[in-house]
Amino acid sequence: MSDGTATTDLDARLEKYRVELTGYCYRMLGSSFEAEDAVQDTLVRAWRSHDRFEGRSSLRSWLYRIATNVCLDMLTAGGKRARPMDLTESTPLARAALAPRPDSTWLEPMPDARVLPAVEDPAEAAVAKESVRLAFMAALQQLPPKQRAVLILREVLAWRASEVAELLGTTVASVNSALQRARATLAERADRGAEAAVSDPLDEEQQKLLERYVKAFEGYDMTALTALLHEDAVMTMPPFDLWLTGPADITGFMTTLGASCAGSRLLPVRANGLPGFAHYKPDPDKGGFRPWAVQVLEVSEGRITGFHCFLDTPRWFPLFGLPLQLEAESEQVEQGG
């Protein structure tokens, strides 16, 4: 009985760290699913070796050490996750072609609830959200794995240099040097990609912008949508490497190659510290609507600057806890009545 109680207690103590560890592994790996695998591996290793944990550090520090080693091992095997704009030049609409690349190429979206633990300090919450935004995540992917770990631990999680040095088995001087190099790399990339200036919770202006966006998109009103897009707005559609710049090409794509999205429905989601939508398009076979994309929006100065559509819906919709079919509104009214 006491062994069972101890096991249950250990499970609960480890589980308490799942969300923050998932956030850490996600920043390290750039993949939603690899991050969850890494955390599961971390917790299993911790559970199996807990009898050898001597308490010389806190349980949290010990878990981060295991998670870091798991991530570093995973990163030796693969390349860097990226966004389409990190790999190719922007394509004019006239030359637009949908060429997919393997799943392992792409930086993946992540629901906020899986990576952002509840914290009371607004400043701490803001740093956490900024550090999972797509532009920052893409910049992190350019860092060598150990620099990435140092930057996340020091700048995002606010660990002391001595704590990071102990975790990585190195010196404080080495940690400080790695942090300096990582900051320099990020500074070089600061002008690339849209900066997302999003309040939490959304302020009234941002909320109205999203409401206008939903109305324009669901109505497939390209004039209204154009008015919401920044002149340098970017649209991406992983797993395709195509990306488009500017309202004319974005709306032009939506009325040509993307014309089957007319009449779609959007449900709000939160992803990567940003507003987003589950995009369902009309289903001509079954009626109602079928999953098409998870959209993540970047917003700045009252305009949409980034419009990122992740199309691998069999993977994304279950991750976000979204239904795989929406009924037509007439059916919903009948059932509700």
Side-chain angles (χ1 to χ4, degrees):
M1 182 70 179
S2 60
D3 284 350
T5 303
T7 299
T8 304
D9 178 56
L10 177 58
D11 286 343
R13 288 169 63 208
L14 295 176
E15 193 62 31
K16 186 173 72 170
Y17 295 99
R18 182 180 291 275
V19 173
E20 65 172 283
L21 287 172
T22 305
Y24 176 61
C25 294
Y26 175 59
R27 295 178 184 99
M28 285 291 291
L29 301 170
S31 162
S32 322
F33 298 102
E34 287 183 3
E36 297 206 325
D37 288 346
V39 171
Q40 195 57 34
D41 191 4
T42 296
L43 297 179
V44 168
R45 291 189 193 189
W47 197 89
R48 286 178 176 163
S49 60
H50 188 257
D51 58 339
R52 298 196 297 278
F53 171 54
E54 298 170 356
R56 285 177 296 188
S57 61
S58 69
L59 178 63
R60 181 172 182 254
S61 298
W62 183 60
L63 288 170
Y64 271 90
R65 182 180 296 121
I66 298 171
T68 302
N69 289 332
V70 169
C71 289
L72 292 176
D73 287 346
M74 292 173 76
L75 286 166
T76 58
K80 303 167 183 172
R81 298 270 174 168
R83 302 171 300 169
M85 59 274 263
D86 301 318
L87 302 178
T88 64
E89 294 299 316
S90 178
T91 308
L93 179 60
R95 296 208 310 272
L98 297 177
R101 296 201 188 194
D103 290 340
S104 58
T105 306
W106 303 115
L107 180 65
E108 297 178 346
M110 186 62 124
D112 283 4
R114 289 181 180 253
V115 291
L116 297 175
V119 294
E120 293 183 7
D121 181 354
E124 189 180 336
V127 168
K129 285 198 168 184
E130 287 165 12
S131 69
V132 293
R133 289 184 181 157
L134 294 170
F136 184 79
M137 289 285 298
L140 278 179
Q141 296 296 301
Q142 301 305 309
L143 300 175
K146 285 201 173 175
Q147 280 186 33
R148 203 179 304 175
V150 168
L151 184 97
I152 296 165
L153 291 165
R154 291 281 286 118
E155 303 265 291
V156 178
L157 300 175
W159 285 38
R160 294 192 296 272
S162 57
E163 295 172 319
V164 178
E166 184 180 351
L167 182 145
L168 293 173
T170 187
T171 63
V172 169
S174 176
V175 166
N176 289 337
S177 174
L179 180 60
Q180 194 171 3
R181 293 196 303 276
R183 283 173 173 164
T185 301
L186 293 194
E188 286 172 13
R189 291 180 55 89
D191 58 343
R192 299 188 201 172
E195 268 307 306
V198 181
S199 304
D200 182 39
L202 295 175
D203 64 31
E204 187 178 354
E205 182 186 355
Q206 291 165 348
Q207 194 61 55
K208 285 181 178 175
L209 175 65
L210 295 181
E211 289 168 5
R212 290 166 63 202
Y213 169 75
V214 170
K215 185 177 179 182
F217 193 96
E218 291 189 343
Y220 234 55
D221 181 342
M222 295 301 128
T223 302
L225 188 60
T226 296
L228 305 179
L229 294 173
H230 190 275
E231 62 182 12
D232 297 321
V234 166
M235 179 181 183
T236 68
M237 292 163 283
F240 302 115
D241 58 14
L242 170 75
W243 61 286
L244 301 164
T245 307
D249 277 2
I250 292 172
T251 57
F253 178 89
M254 290 174 66
T255 53
T256 54
L257 291 174
S260 64
C261 291
S264 291
R265 293 290 174 267
L266 300 180
L267 296 182
V269 297
R270 292 288 302 191
N272 294 82
L274 296 165
F277 295 93
H279 172 191
Y280 292 82
K281 67 191 289 188
D283 188 337
D285 300 321
K286 298 180 182 175
F289 304 89
R290 61 188 175 91
W292 185 246
V294 169
Q295 301 179 359
V296 182
L297 303 187
E298 292 171 320
V299 176
S300 182
E301 297 177 353
R303 290 286 183 272
I304 294 167
T305 54
F307 173 45
H308 306 290
C309 305
F310 295 90
L311 303 181
D312 192 355
T313 51
R315 302 172 80 217
W316 304 132
F317 275 52
L319 182 74
F320 281 80
L322 293 163
L324 295 177
Q325 186 77 10
L326 284 187
E327 296 171 351
E329 288 177 5
S330 59
E331 295 173 25
Q332 293 174 335
V333 169
E334 287 169 17
Q335 290 181 7

